[in-house]
Amino acid sequence: MEIFKSGIEIHQRLAGTKLFCNCPSRLVEPDAKPSATLRRTLHKVQSELGATDKAAAFEGSLNKTFTYQCFGQSNCLVEADEEPPHGLSREHLKTAVEIALMLKAKIVDEVWVMRKTVIDGSNTSGFQRTAVIGLGGLLETSKGPVGIQSICLEEESAGIVGEGKEAQTYRLDRLGMPLIEIATSPDIKDAGHGAEVAQKLGMCLRMTGKCQRGLGSIRQDVNISIPGGARVEIKGAQSLEDIPVLMQNEIMRQSRLLEIIKTLKDRFPESTIGFEKPADLSELFKSTTCKVVLRALGQGGSVHGLRLPRHNGLLGMELYPGRRYGTELSDYAKAAGVSGIIHSDEDLKKYGFTVQEINAVLHGLKINNNDSFVLVADKQAACIKALELVAKRASMFFVPEETRKALAQGASSFLRPLPGSARMYPETDVLPVRLKHDYLQRVAAHLPTSPEAALANLKSILNEDLANKIFKSQHLSLFQTLVAQQFDPTVTAVTLEETLVSLRREGVEIPDVERTVVPVLAVFEEGKITKAAIPQLIRAVAKKKAAAIEGLAPAMLVRQAIVESGLEKLSGKGLESVVIASNFDIPGIMKKYRLNIDPAELQKIVAEKKR
Amino acid sequence: MYSLKLESLFNANGIKIGDLIRVAKQGAIYEGILLPHAQIGDKNCAVVKLKSGYNVGIEITEDAKIELIRQGQGGVIAASLEETSAQPSVQESFISILGCGGTIASRIEYMTGAVFPSFSPSQIVGAFPELSKVSAIRSKKLFSLLSEDITVSHWQQIAGEVEAQINDGTNGIVLMHGTDVIGYTAAALSFMVQKPPVPVVLAGAQRSSDRGSSDNKMNLLCASHLAKSDIAHVGVCMHGTSNDNYCLFHSGTNVRKMHTSSRDAFKSVNRPPLAKISYPDCTITQIREEGEVQTRSQNQGNTKFALEMNPNVALVYSHPGIKPEFFEGLSSYDGVVIAGTGMGHVPTNSFNDPSCTSVVPAIRGLVDSGVVVAMAPQTVYGRLSMNVYTAGRLLLEAGVIGNNCDWLAETALVKLMWALGQTKNPKDAKELMLTNISGELSQRSRIDETHNASETD
């Protein structure tokens, strides 16, 4: 691999209330009906230092309307940007301080919440609230220490639903959830190291017991640059396994771009490229059979074209498998809302163009042998904007700093220009929080166990396989709580990690694991049921819960289920009489009372009575 | 200001606000621009803007080392907002945008760390070029206030400026104002500028203008279109819903802020709004019937400016247990508006219960001493009817005016200030109060679609 600089950024959602209001941090079902739908527009603004952030200017130039779906269970007027925030959650602040201390960072003395301007619609207020808690920490890895630049506490953005041409739709259930952001220094040594660092940071976060679990609750971003290239942020790696490929592809993309730039510099000794205005070519396609063009013209749109002078052969150049220079230009065009571009390095016949049409385009755009061209078919304003963005990108004699979106298989696409610091200004609706020395000392005295210590601890009370399973499990903190209450570690771990899995496969729904499973384990600990009965009892309790017998205390529910399912433990004198009455028919007894008898006790009684 | 200790430490190291500094303490190094202290937060914590843009507070302990890296430009806020200095040429038809402050025109203010009115109207126009496509604009900043501080003399200043702009030939007026008190100001202007020859449109913003979601742009654009329209009223233009889909133009004497923070806080009370302005096309649709909306040609030549006002008037809120002494304490006022319960009531002990106290004698005392006392509904909506219950009749006998009125309490307050400015004679002031000047009083309580039984009832 060539030389590069890379860092990782983790975003982890915390459980509990939202960061600036009292709504629960709970995602609503994907098909839930919104309580209300809002339509809003956002416009560009300036920071306290008077400059306009270029990412915001880019978004602000696109004039979009946004639709927001509000859900009563998870949203209030704060998310609807109709009420000021309610102050920074002290509970989540404490979790952030814990993480920062675990990563050996220096905690700031006074926390100031900032507004990070974001006007792509993903925040109703036009900004994200964010605060830095710790700076200058360290993570030990197999390839040496990795610097932790910052630990921040910030709000989650709204979730995108659809991307129609005119409006973008977001769901607000996600908006305002607390996020811990951990950003490393560019100390990642290689692709595998990136995955290791991400995995270690994830473990550290989970040790707090305050993290949300489930799809989307943790996101990994990769920052990467190569010498002569640019700092690029790739957001939302789908899994840890994707990180190495993302890194490799991005390094390749920047290297190939540098080669293309060198070619451009050779072809353009004057170091600038002049583009004509996008030309309306709709007339040339009056009798076309090309589906793409027919659709656009049928809806009252147009076909526009742009000459890319001296670009012959460049658009088709591969940056990495599946991505060409033309794809990069297409990404920029798509920001204007069009679905894509057609360019001259492609096989134009596959679109259904005739030779005459292609010649007409060549003539209309005055294309000569050295040139390329780009076509767009869509609403007229979108066509013009799309081609202006293509020209803007094509005129860069450098690799631009970008925020990119991670796609499948380690690919990525352009999202927006990389934002600068001009977009940050104080969140004046929220008072700063002073973190005094004695507060920090109290938190430091009760830090969560480190991941290494936690795993070692587990291995001392469980076999290796179970220890590893529960360590990675979402039920880790529940397990630790129960063991602290003297529940049997192995029975508890097996129930949480194996029994629940097979029950789920059967189709048994257990929405609230803690309230269903803990009372069952409790009656086992009390000796009221056998180990073998545990899965059946959980099944029975889950069914009763599903039949909505609310209001019944869990313990009562479990007692009823035991009786109804005939799971009472048979032991002592009762077992003795059964043994005698059956004339020591052990197989018969086991067949009938399999779930009610402890096999060890049966053996002992049989041995005694036979004497 | 930072603490004296910190200020002298900065001085000793040649450090000023805006300089790039380095603070080293306990193994940590912070580098960034020193910001002014915001009158909130710990005075002993230096607030520094890091390269990333984040602000952090650093306690400067005894063992901290602080040094200057590079001097700043002098003045952290580079007020480099686009200004438009172009004023319309003599021939051009123009609208006037006047600024009184409020969050429609504001930025971060370091003294309190809160939002503070500071954009001039020309900066607003510079920030929203679309405004100049509506019309040529003449902009003028009158003063910069958070609206809760506004006084009668400010109202008179505004009315005077409105008159001056009209005399200068303005085609319409937009007044940028804080939303807390915009309803009061609109009412005051409705009495001081009667039958205006051009629209006088007050506009504000519920979300401060320093953020991308601010409602200022839409409210201003809609207000500017209204200023060009034929709806020659004083009124308030704000969002009609929580969506950015339309604004409503409310008559100045009938509009009230009905929510602390939402975009659609403003409602017309007891009357429909004058008009609806859809967005972003800014098409204006009249809501009130023909004949209920004044036009330029109707008002031309009939405009009356009456700027005198008496600020010595109080608005009080009656409630269970309110004491006679409370009303006795109002004797130094020239006028009192009581926001009474129900159809215009206060505790009157109508049934002569030994455990109840009537405040009627105290109120009668005020009236007899020359204080003009008017009743208004605490319920906001509805019409006073003081003939129905004994309580109301006792108040009428005591000389309280306002029976059958359907005004807002806030509007009644402003009107009484205005009436007592027009005349010192209480009898004449009462007569003026009970005469409809600018739509604050109506004879008929409307039935409309909101009264329909719904399908699901």
Side-chain angles (χ1 to χ4, degrees):
Chain A
M1 209 191 263
E2 297 106 0
I3 308 170
F4 68 92
K5 279 180 94 155
S6 173
I8 299 274
E9 236 175 70
I10 305 279
H11 292 89
Q12 166 71 58
R13 285 183 200 155
L14 299 180
T17 64
K18 293 202 173 171
L19 191 56
F20 291 100
C21 73
N22 296 308
C23 292
S25 294
R26 190 193 308 149
L27 288 177
V28 171
E29 301 75 45
D31 55 355
K33 193 160 168 287
S35 317
T37 302
L38 302 173
R39 284 180 74 84
R40 298 270 176 80
T41 56
L42 293 173
H43 49 84
K44 68 180 183 339
V45 290
Q46 297 184 331
S47 79
E48 68 195 42
L49 295 179
T52 305
D53 174 66
K54 57 177 153 41
F58 177 82
E59 292 289 350
S61 71
L62 299 176
N63 278 332
K64 289 198 191 122
T65 311
F66 303 104
T67 301
Y68 295 109
Q69 294 176 344
C70 311
F71 299 91
Q73 311 94 304
S74 304
N75 292 134
C76 66
L77 290 182
V78 175
E79 284 89 44
D81 189 46
E82 289 289 40
E83 186 176 294
H86 298 190
L88 182 65
S89 157
R90 294 304 193 261
E91 185 198 341
H92 298 313
L93 175 59
K94 177 158 176 273
T95 306
V97 170
E98 285 177 351
I99 305 261
L101 288 173
M102 284 167 80
L103 293 172
K104 304 186 181 33
K106 317 288 181 294
I107 313 293
V108 303
D109 297 310
E110 199 168 57
V111 174
W112 285 78
V113 180
M114 305 295 288
R115 292 177 184 163
K116 198 188 264 187
T117 302
V118 177
I119 58 169
D120 64 354
S122 57
N123 287 82
T124 46
S125 53
F127 54 76
Q128 176 196 30
R129 296 184 182 93
T130 173
V132 66
I133 311 298
L135 298 161
L138 205 71
L139 179 76
E140 290 295 343
T141 73
S142 66
K143 298 194 170 103
V146 168
I148 302 294
Q149 270 180 351
S150 61
I151 297 103
C152 294
L153 182 59
E154 55 188 31
E155 354 170 67
E156 176 66 281
S157 58
I160 197 161
V161 172
E163 238 178 285
K165 297 293 185 65
E166 302 298 327
Q168 276 184 272
T169 306
Y170 290 88
R171 303 165 61 92
L172 297 191
D173 53 347
R174 230 177 75 164
L175 180 64
M177 285 189 187
L179 285 180
I180 300 273
E181 182 204 78
I182 305 176
T184 73
S185 308
D187 294 341
I188 307 292
K189 300 280 186 303
D190 57 49
H193 194 212
E196 180 196 341
V197 168
Q199 199 257 351
K200 281 202 149 74
L201 289 174
M203 277 316 311
C204 202
L205 284 159
R206 292 187 45 237
M207 291 293 109
T208 62
K210 296 279 169 63
C211 295
Q212 278 189 35
R213 297 288 300 187
L215 204 61
S217 59
I218 187 165
R219 292 198 296 277
Q220 284 92 210
D221 302 341
V222 180
N223 306 322
I224 192 154
S225 69
I226 66 171
R231 182 155 174 270
V232 165
E233 221 174 75
I234 305 180
K235 296 192 94 62
Q238 318 281 20
S239 67
L240 293 179
E241 288 72 40
D242 277 350
I243 291 176
V245 191
L246 269 175
M247 288 175 63
Q248 283 157 353
N249 281 342
E250 180 56 21
I251 291 166
M252 233 191 300
R253 187 187 74 95
Q254 292 197 22
S255 308
R256 293 292 115 77
L257 280 178
L258 286 175
E259 287 169 15
I260 291 173
I261 288 164
K262 186 165 179 308
T263 309
L264 280 173
K265 284 193 172 142
D266 289 341
R267 296 187 189 185
F268 287 90
E270 66 270 35
S271 289
T272 55
I273 307 178
F275 289 98
E276 288 107 23
K277 280 197 163 58
D280 192 336
L281 304 173
S282 311
E283 280 301 297
L284 308 179
F285 294 92
K286 273 205 286 260
S287 38
T288 190
T289 53
C290 165
K291 286 207 187 76
V292 173
V293 171
L294 278 173
R295 197 177 334 125
L297 293 179
Q299 290 171 353
S302 66
V303 183
H304 274 69
L306 181 75
R307 180 173 81 106
L308 299 173
R310 302 180 223 169
H311 269 65
N312 189 27
L314 292 182
L315 299 184
M317 289 195 64
E318 190 183 78
L319 302 176
Y320 55 79
R323 178 161 282 261
R324 302 173 186 285
Y325 185 47
T327 330
E328 296 286 292
L329 300 180
S330 172
D331 281 351
Y332 274 70
K334 283 179 185 168
V338 305
S339 49
I341 60 173
I342 299 165
H343 65 74
S344 48
D345 277 5
E346 298 182 79
D347 175 13
L348 294 172
K349 294 208 201 64
K350 78 172 188 241
Y351 289 99
F353 291 129
T354 64
V355 174
Q356 290 88 332
E357 283 166 342
I358 295 172
N359 283 335
V361 169
L362 294 176
H363 182 77
L365 293 177
K366 303 193 189 52
I367 304 291
N368 65 46
N369 287 337
N370 302 325
D371 300 336
S372 298
F373 66 82
V374 170
L375 296 178
V376 184
D378 206 294
K379 288 203 174 52
Q380 182 163 332
C383 281
I384 294 173
K385 185 77 202 179
L387 290 176
E388 283 172 354
L389 290 174
V390 167
K392 186 177 169 151
R393 175 65 186 86
S395 58
M396 295 179 187
F397 279 86
F398 52 86
V399 176
E401 287 193 329
E402 291 172 350
T403 301
R404 298 178 70 85
K405 179 172 133 177
L407 306 169
Q409 281 142 23
S412 70
S413 62
F414 166 78
L415 261 183
R416 55 182 168 270
L418 198 69
S421 64
R423 65 183 177 152
M424 301 270 278
Y425 67 108
E427 166 52 280
T428 49
D429 293 344
V430 177
L431 291 175
V433 183
R434 181 77 171 86
L435 298 177
K436 290 211 158 130
H437 185 64
D438 51 345
Y439 167 79
L440 293 177
Q441 278 191 315
R442 278 200 308 276
V443 176
H446 295 99
L447 282 185
T449 326
S450 73
E452 295 75 22
L455 184 57
N457 203 21
L458 288 171
K459 285 188 179 160
S460 70
I461 54 172
L462 294 170
N463 70 49
E464 175 112 10
D465 180 52
L466 268 181
N468 284 323
K469 268 200 178 125
I470 202 87
F471 185 56
K472 293 197 176 82
S473 163
Q474 59 177 306
H475 303 303
L476 174 60
S477 90
L478 175 60
F479 172 83
Q480 287 168 326
T481 308
L482 294 175
V483 165
Q485 291 170 17
Q486 312 300 326
F487 279 50
D488 182 288
T490 302
V491 171
T492 308
V494 166
T495 305
L496 290 173
E497 286 313 296
E498 290 171 10
T499 309
L500 285 185
V501 171
S502 48
L503 283 175
R504 209 168 292 127
R505 281 206 199 103
E506 263 178 54
V508 178
E509 300 250 335
I510 306 175
D512 189 335
V513 167
E514 193 164 337
R515 282 176 71 88
T516 308
V517 172
V518 172
V520 170
L521 289 173
V523 295
F524 165 74
E525 293 293 331
E526 288 162 22
K528 294 208 169 67
I529 59 169
T530 66
K531 190 160 60 174
I534 292 176
Q536 179 56 16
L537 186 54
I538 293 178
R539 213 180 265 117
V541 170
K543 228 176 240 155
K544 280 175 91 68
K545 273 188 178 293
I549 309 173
E550 286 304 327
L552 213 55
M556 191 88 231
L557 200 74
V558 167
R559 265 200 289 274
Q560 277 189 1
I562 292 173
V563 169
E564 285 164 15
S565 310
L567 291 173
E568 298 92 336
K569 185 173 183 179
L570 191 56
S571 98
K573 289 270 182 278
L575 182 55
E576 282 177 19
S577 34
V578 165
V579 168
I580 292 167
S582 74
N583 203 21
F584 298 90
D585 175 15
I586 295 170
I589 293 172
M590 280 313 293
K591 191 163 173 212
K592 192 171 179 196
Y593 295 107
R594 183 178 64 84
L595 297 181
N596 307 83
I597 295 178
D598 177 7
E601 193 188 357
L602 176 64
Q603 269 191 320
K604 187 159 155 269
I605 287 177
V606 165
E608 264 174 25
K609 291 298 164 194
K610 273 198 168 156
R611 244 186 268 120
Chain B
M1 295 295 288
Y2 287 110
S3 65
L4 282 173
K5 190 165 158 222
L6 211 46
E7 292 282 340
S8 49
L9 186 63
F10 292 147
N11 284 331
N13 286 281
I15 290 171
K16 290 182 316 301
I17 302 296
D19 289 346
L20 183 65
I21 65 169
R22 181 183 293 122
V23 180
K25 69 168 203 168
Q26 291 149 17
I29 298 185
Y30 304 92
E31 269 187 30
I33 299 174
L34 180 65
L35 295 179
H37 187 259
Q39 297 266 318
I40 48 171
D42 194 331
K43 285 190 163 68
N44 286 303
C45 284
V47 181
V48 159
K49 183 175 277 293
L50 306 175
K51 185 153 163 269
S52 58
Y54 280 97
N55 291 358
V56 297
I58 310 161
E59 188 191 6
I60 308 299
T61 48
E62 296 298 332
D63 58 335
K65 250 193 66 186
I66 189 165
E67 60 175 302
L68 170 71
I69 301 179
R70 195 173 59 241
Q71 284 189 332
Q73 259 72 20
V76 175
I77 305 181
S80 64
L81 296 167
E82 299 95 284
E83 297 254 354
T84 168
S85 53
Q87 295 287 6
S89 66
V90 182
Q91 272 80 15
E92 258 185 305
S93 155
F94 65 92
I95 62 173
S96 313
I97 298 189
L98 309 176
C100 302
T103 52
I104 194 166
S106 61
R107 247 186 150 187
I108 311 308
E109 197 277 318
Y110 287 104
M111 293 304 278
T112 57
V115 168
F116 188 78
S118 73
F119 284 155
S120 68
S122 58
Q123 286 171 334
I124 280 284
V125 169
F128 303 124
E130 297 94 326
L131 273 176
S132 49
K133 292 202 188 87
V134 177
S135 165
I137 289 175
R138 176 192 286 193
S139 57
K140 183 169 181 182
K141 179 172 163 178
L142 299 185
F143 41 78
S144 237
L145 286 181
L146 284 176
S147 63
E148 57 268 19
D149 288 329
I150 220 164
T151 65
V152 161
S153 65
H154 292 105
W155 286 335
Q156 290 168 323
Q157 193 183 331
I158 296 170
E161 188 58 46
V162 165
E163 185 176 2
Q165 294 288 334
I166 289 172
N167 291 338
D168 270 356
T170 186
N171 197 30
I173 297 174
V174 173
L175 184 70
M176 303 194 303
H177 194 289
T179 57
D180 270 19
V181 163
I182 200 173
Y184 291 81
T185 302
L189 284 178
S190 300
F191 301 122
M192 292 191 286
V193 182
Q194 297 166 29
K195 298 199 194 309
V198 300
V200 178
V201 185
L202 287 83
Q206 286 281 62
R207 302 273 85 73
S208 56
S209 61
D210 52 86
R211 63 184 89 187
S213 65
S214 176
D215 47 334
N216 63 346
K217 179 175 170 180
M218 176 173 152
N219 294 346
L220 253 186
L221 275 173
C222 290
S224 302
H225 277 89
L226 279 169
K228 269 194 342 180
S229 74
D230 199 20
I231 306 177
H233 275 254
V234 175
V236 171
C237 172
M238 292 289 286
H239 269 55
T241 69
S242 184
N243 299 287
D244 290 343
N245 54 358
Y246 66 86
C247 280
L248 291 172
F249 188 32
H250 305 277
S251 151
T253 47
N254 315 119
V255 61
R256 191 172 193 273
K257 187 172 184 178
M258 299 294 275
H259 195 279
T260 56
S261 58
S262 70
R263 280 160 178 69
D264 59 345
F266 287 86
K267 308 283 179 211
S268 282
V269 172
N270 292 335
R271 325 249 186 287
L274 292 162
K276 173 178 167 176
I277 313 89
S278 59
Y279 189 79
D281 51 297
C282 296
T283 311
I284 298 174
T285 314
Q286 198 169 298
I287 295 177
R288 288 197 191 177
E289 307 282 322
E290 283 308 314
E292 290 182 16
V293 176
Q294 295 160 10
T295 62
R296 291 169 187 257
S297 53
Q298 278 172 1
N299 286 350
Q300 196 68 248
N302 295 323
T303 307
K304 181 168 174 209
F305 295 99
L307 270 61
E308 292 75 22
M309 291 188 80
N310 180 344
N312 195 26
V313 180
L315 169 62
V316 304
Y317 205 85
S318 183
H319 57 79
I322 197 167
K323 297 180 193 170
E325 293 86 349
F326 175 80
F327 288 98
E328 285 157 15
L330 300 170
S331 55
S332 63
Y333 286 90
D334 297 321
V336 170
V337 174
I338 304 174
T341 56
M343 295 192 287
H345 302 141
V346 298
T348 58
N349 197 9
S350 309
F351 296 168
N352 288 312
D353 187 314
S355 59
C356 300
T357 309
S358 169
V359 298
V360 171
I363 292 174
R364 183 181 299 112
L366 285 179
V367 174
D368 290 346
S369 72
V371 180
V372 176
V373 181
M375 181 59 70
Q378 194 176 105
T379 56
V380 179
Y381 287 89
R383 183 180 297 275
L384 294 175
S385 272
M386 295 164 76
N387 298 329
V388 178
Y389 293 103
T390 310
R393 291 194 288 270
L394 287 171
L395 285 165
L396 290 176
E397 280 166 25
V400 174
I401 61 164
N403 194 15
N404 296 318
C405 292
D406 63 344
W407 49 23
L408 282 168
E410 293 84 3
T411 300
L413 165 75
V414 172
K415 189 175 184 188
L416 189 50
M417 286 176 171
W418 176 78
L420 288 169
Q422 302 303 304
T423 170
K424 286 197 168 16
N425 183 312
K427 184 161 173 287
D428 295 339
K430 288 180 198 182
E431 206 178 302
L432 208 47
M433 279 296 277
L434 297 176
T435 310
N436 181 41
I437 306 289
S438 293
E440 72 279 9
L441 294 170
S442 84
Q443 301 302 313
R444 303 175 59 222
S445 303
R446 284 171 61 87
I447 298 184
D448 59 30
E449 323 69 55
T450 61
H451 290 95
N452 281 341
S454 90
E455 291 297 311
T456 55
D457 279 349

